[in-house]
Amino acid sequence: MLRKASIFYRVNSTNRKVTDQMPKIILPPRSAQRQEDTWDIASVFPNTAAWEAEYQQVQMELPAFEKYHGKLNEPTIMAEVLDAYFQVTTRAQKLSMYAELLTSVDTSNEEATALISRAATLNGQVSAALAFIKPELLANGAEKLSQWANSDSRLAAYTHYLEDLLRLQAHVRSPEIEELLGALNDPFTTTHSVMRSLTGAEIRFQSATSSTGEEYPVAQGTTVTLWSSTDRETRRTAWENYHDGYLAFKKTLAHNLEGQIKQNIFFARAHGYRSALEARLAVDHIPVEVYHNVIDTFRRNLSTWHRYWALRRRVLGYKTLHTYDLYSPLTTQLPALPYTQAVDLIAEGLQPLGDEYIQILRRGCLQERWVDIYPNQGKRLGAFSSGSPGTHPFIFMSYDDSLKGMSTLAHELGHSMHSYLTWQTQPLVYSDYSMFVAETASNFHQAMVRAHLLRTRLERDFQIGLLDEAMNNFHRYYFIMPLLARLELEMYERVERGEALTADILNGLFADFLAEGYGSEVEVDAARDGITWATFGHLYANFYVFQYTTGIAAANALARSILASQPQAVERYLAFLRTGNALYPLDVLQQAGVDLRTPEPIEATFTVLADYVERLEQLTSAME
């Protein structure tokens, strides 16, 4: 079995500096990973046989819900069926999550792919079997539901749930229609499955070539490292070959995404909403103005980004800056940060949250195996946190001993700690939390750790590297994501008007949006920049990407209050993490100290961004 040091693909020694010579990229097979470097998936199900047994058990229990048909007019029966409802949906979620974990670390695992498909089928069956519950509950009327919730101790826990159900009453259809719509969840997952299979396992990329003729494999797990190479030819060929892989399938990818959009529009219209945007935001009680605030505020502040692109061009010494230059490091004199050291630094930055918080975090990273740490053959691109009540809040990533790797780990730990504290506090009915607040905890971690390191690590190169990484992070969440949100709105509005979407239309739109965002400082490759939309599977979670921008805005506002030692700021933040969806997302954020009903937090975070650019201008002035 390969030792950890032999599989690092950026640095492999704590004493080694990142230099212009990129180490040879070695992607080991999944079987070569040390167990302690992988997540403890056996704690979910010890093997696929145990998964199969639970799958069969859930299927067998679904017909039992028939006995509740027509009887949800008594408080005791209501409480009983709601308890059963959330238990069975949580168990189905756990089955899906396990299958997702298996395939994420090895996209060639056909058995895991089959489990995902079967889990989707089961979730469709669950949705159909339980579809009668909401219409029958609503048939009792608001007065009775309120009275019963106030008088029955078991129903009291469902007070907010029932209030929310009544809020959306006009969009709940008859039991027969809801059952049909629930059954559609299974076949309607196909577009997402096609996207995952195509981009994760079937698209093949030509290798990157360095200026000295060395070749490096381009794969979902290596792109970030290759794009951040100090060798421009490595960056160029890696970036072009990656996007060319998507361009080869642009028509399929566009038609598939169009299918997903039409499905979401169908559901919105079936439930009586005026638009897919309204339908999606209504679930979280969010006005559509919040979405438009993101796009409008972003466009008003493009000058900050133009200033940053100009800085990069000057520091790198290029007459023309290309997209593949945007990840090139502004300094190469950075120490390697092994995983355990990254955990230490993250813990130091989050110390204001208290010893108990830090102990949970460190235990998850170093003892309980929450994290699948390193890259391997077939491992997906990116990072995420995933789990369900009763499991660990797992973290998927490809750690590479860099500041970027440390920042990614901090980000995903924010999600995982959010999940952990919610699950420890809330009953199943409120054990999830809205995607609208999900990106707050993750970006809060990054803001806190970054502020700590800016105060304590004063070496010039470290400060440049830290701010460089921060700007890369903002580039993704405060530049690309608002642009994708703008594209997404345009796509849905076009389809809702009956217009078609083609790859050329999507590529042209996104290339134009990027050209506006880059200004005169970055040269846009219309075809390759245009296909960027296809590299983001986030678009299959409709109207999700804008929430990265609102999340990072909320995160920075809450971090500022804690760093300024405002009274009760820590307590309010921890209460936010423990609330789950027991309150509406805008309300829970407002209680924590930030109001996203207005564009002010987004504007304020552009001030943070401008400060980072100014710091970089000062630190790099001697380098130009």
Side-chain angles (χ1 to χ4, degrees):
M1 182 174 290
L2 293 176
R3 297 295 293 172
K4 180 167 61 176
S6 67
I7 64 170
F8 287 167
Y9 58 87
R10 183 169 185 178
V11 288
N12 57 18
S13 168
T14 58
N15 297 317
R16 179 175 179 173
K17 305 288 186 181
V18 179
T19 67
D20 287 355
Q21 182 61 46
M22 176 176 285
K24 186 173 180 61
I25 297 174
I26 301 171
L27 285 177
R30 179 65 182 175
S31 59
Q33 298 282 34
R34 299 190 307 174
Q35 185 183 63
E36 58 264 40
D37 295 333
T38 63
W39 49 27
D40 186 15
I41 193 172
S43 66
V44 183
F45 293 106
N47 48 49
T48 54
W51 184 94
E52 181 66 35
E54 173 68 353
Y55 183 95
Q56 297 294 337
Q57 187 63 34
V58 171
Q59 265 193 332
M60 289 173 56
E61 293 177 12
L62 290 180
F65 282 91
E66 288 287 338
K67 66 184 179 183
Y68 296 114
H69 274 282
K71 298 180 180 179
L72 298 187
N73 54 3
E74 298 178 20
T76 54
I77 299 296
M78 284 174 55
E80 183 178 332
V81 77
L82 285 171
D83 287 348
Y85 172 91
F86 285 102
Q87 287 166 7
V88 76
T89 53
T90 299
R91 291 166 66 191
Q93 175 189 357
K94 184 177 176 182
L95 288 162
S96 294
M97 181 268 295
Y98 177 84
E100 291 282 348
L101 295 187
L102 276 182
T103 192
S104 293
V105 295
D106 185 1
T107 55
S108 66
N109 185 336
E110 289 297 322
E111 181 184 19
T113 302
L115 295 185
I116 289 177
S117 177
R118 294 183 61 213
T121 297
L122 179 63
N123 275 284
Q125 293 169 348
V126 170
S127 296
L130 307 182
F132 72 95
I133 294 175
K134 290 181 179 180
E136 286 200 21
L137 288 175
L138 288 169
N140 292 300
E143 184 177 349
K144 283 187 178 180
L145 289 177
S146 178
Q147 178 186 342
W148 292 338
N150 290 327
S151 61
D152 188 284
S153 59
R154 287 181 63 186
L155 272 183
Y158 293 101
T159 299
H160 177 68
Y161 172 80
L162 294 172
E163 289 174 349
D164 191 46
L165 187 60
L166 287 166
R167 178 180 64 85
L168 297 171
Q169 182 172 8
H171 303 287
V172 176
R173 305 298 301 275
S174 68
E176 295 78 14
I177 293 177
E178 288 293 343
E179 180 178 0
L180 176 61
L181 294 175
L184 284 173
N185 284 324
D186 176 20
F188 275 18
T189 62
T190 301
T191 50
H192 186 258
S193 299
V194 168
M195 179 275 296
R196 284 175 58 96
S197 296
L198 185 60
T199 62
E202 295 187 349
I203 293 180
R204 293 289 182 265
F205 308 100
Q206 294 295 316
S207 295
T209 306
S210 73
S211 57
T212 56
E214 294 176 290
E215 291 192 353
Y216 302 107
V218 175
Q220 299 290 9
T222 65
T223 54
V224 173
T225 297
L226 292 168
W227 295 346
S228 60
S229 169
T230 55
D231 181 71
R232 199 180 195 193
E233 186 64 10
T234 299
R235 294 198 308 272
R236 182 187 70 79
T237 55
W239 185 84
E240 290 183 353
N241 292 348
Y242 181 73
H243 288 81
D244 284 348
Y246 282 87
L247 282 169
F249 293 90
K250 66 177 185 178
K251 292 182 179 180
T252 300
L253 290 162
H255 287 310
N256 196 58
L257 181 57
E258 183 184 35
Q260 178 72 38
I261 291 169
K262 288 181 176 180
Q263 290 169 13
N264 292 329
I265 292 172
F266 167 80
F267 275 124
R269 289 175 174 169
H271 285 109
Y273 288 101
R274 290 170 295 183
S275 68
L277 175 63
E278 181 188 49
R280 176 62 189 87
L281 298 191
V283 174
D284 293 323
H285 201 21
I286 296 171
V288 294
E289 289 76 20
V290 174
Y291 192 96
H292 293 290
N293 283 343
V294 168
I295 296 173
D296 295 342
T297 308
F298 169 75
R299 296 185 73 183
R300 284 197 303 270
N301 287 274
L302 282 176
S303 60
T304 299
W305 282 112
H306 296 164
R307 180 179 170 189
Y308 174 62
W309 308 134
L311 178 149
R312 287 195 66 85
R313 184 179 57 77
R314 292 195 303 270
V315 172
L316 294 174
Y318 298 143
K319 181 178 180 180
T320 301
L321 200 66
H322 295 272
T323 307
Y324 53 78
D325 296 317
L326 301 184
Y327 303 95
S328 177
L330 296 180
T331 179
T332 59
Q333 299 304 306
L334 291 173
L337 295 175
Y339 176 75
T340 54
Q341 185 181 353
V343 174
D344 290 340
L345 293 175
I346 292 167
E348 291 173 11
L350 296 170
Q351 190 58 54
L353 298 182
D355 291 340
E356 182 183 3
Y357 189 95
I358 299 305
Q359 289 167 7
I360 295 168
L361 181 148
R362 292 181 64 85
R363 190 169 68 242
C365 289
L366 304 174
Q367 297 175 29
E368 295 179 348
R369 292 171 54 206
W370 292 4
V371 189
D372 201 85
I373 304 172
Y374 300 111
N376 56 251
Q377 293 174 22
K379 195 170 187 179
R380 278 180 52 197
L381 176 68
F384 62 77
S385 171
S386 180
S388 66
T391 76
H392 295 314
F394 292 104
I395 292 173
F396 170 93
M397 67 178 307
S398 293
Y399 191 76
D400 66 351
D401 268 21
S402 67
L403 275 170
K404 168 66 176 174
M406 182 198 69
S407 182
T408 300
L409 177 61
H411 181 101
E412 300 307 331
L413 279 168
H415 288 308
S416 289
M417 290 299 295
H418 193 176
S419 297
Y420 180 92
L421 292 175
T422 295
W423 298 339
Q424 292 291 312
T425 308
Q426 296 295 336
L428 287 180
V429 60
Y430 306 128
S431 62
D432 200 359
Y433 47 82
S434 164
M435 297 308 295
F436 187 80
V437 300
E439 296 303 331
T440 298
S442 53
N443 284 287
F444 171 88
H445 267 204
Q446 289 171 292
M448 292 291 291
V449 173
R450 189 179 301 130
H452 168 71
L453 294 175
L454 285 172
R455 288 195 312 269
T456 58
R457 295 292 297 268
L458 303 180
E459 312 95 298
R460 178 172 169 276
D461 281 302
F462 193 92
Q463 293 262 313
I464 291 173
L466 187 65
L467 290 167
D468 191 19
E469 189 285 323
M471 293 304 298
N472 283 335
N473 187 67
F474 271 84
H475 175 217
R476 181 177 177 85
Y477 297 128
Y478 236 62
F479 183 81
I480 296 295
M481 293 302 182
L483 289 177
L484 286 172
R486 186 181 174 191
L487 177 71
E488 189 171 20
L489 183 62
E490 179 72 23
M491 290 191 299
Y492 274 86
E493 288 180 343
R494 286 185 180 222
V495 176
E496 286 169 339
R497 292 194 300 264
E499 299 175 20
L501 292 180
T502 67
D504 288 341
I505 289 173
L506 294 180
N507 289 6
L509 283 170
F510 204 65
D512 289 344
F513 295 166
L514 283 169
E516 180 183 357
Y518 287 142
S520 61
E521 296 295 337
V522 182
E523 183 171 304
V524 171
D525 181 331
R528 295 187 178 102
D529 276 312
I531 197 66
T532 299
W533 60 267
T535 68
F536 284 86
H538 306 67
L539 293 174
Y540 287 78
N542 59 319
F543 299 108
Y544 171 40
V545 293
F546 89 102
Q547 295 167 105
Y548 281 100
T549 304
T550 55
I552 205 169
N556 278 270
L558 296 175
R560 285 196 300 274
S561 68
I562 290 175
L563 293 169
S565 300
Q566 291 182 8
Q568 300 300 306
V570 170
E571 290 77 8
R572 288 197 305 268
Y573 180 73
L574 293 176
F576 156 72
L577 296 182
R578 293 189 174 103
T579 300
N581 55 12
L583 291 174
Y584 293 122
L586 287 174
D587 293 339
V588 71
L589 283 171
Q590 189 164 27
Q591 287 189 8
V594 59
D595 185 3
L596 277 168
R597 291 178 175 86
T598 75
E600 191 280 330
I602 304 171
E603 292 278 5
T605 303
F606 267 106
T607 302
V608 173
L609 191 69
D611 176 64
Y612 289 167
V613 175
E614 184 174 350
R615 287 178 183 236
L616 275 172
E617 287 172 339
Q618 294 171 357
L619 287 164
T620 60
S621 59
M623 299 170 58
E624 299 177 31

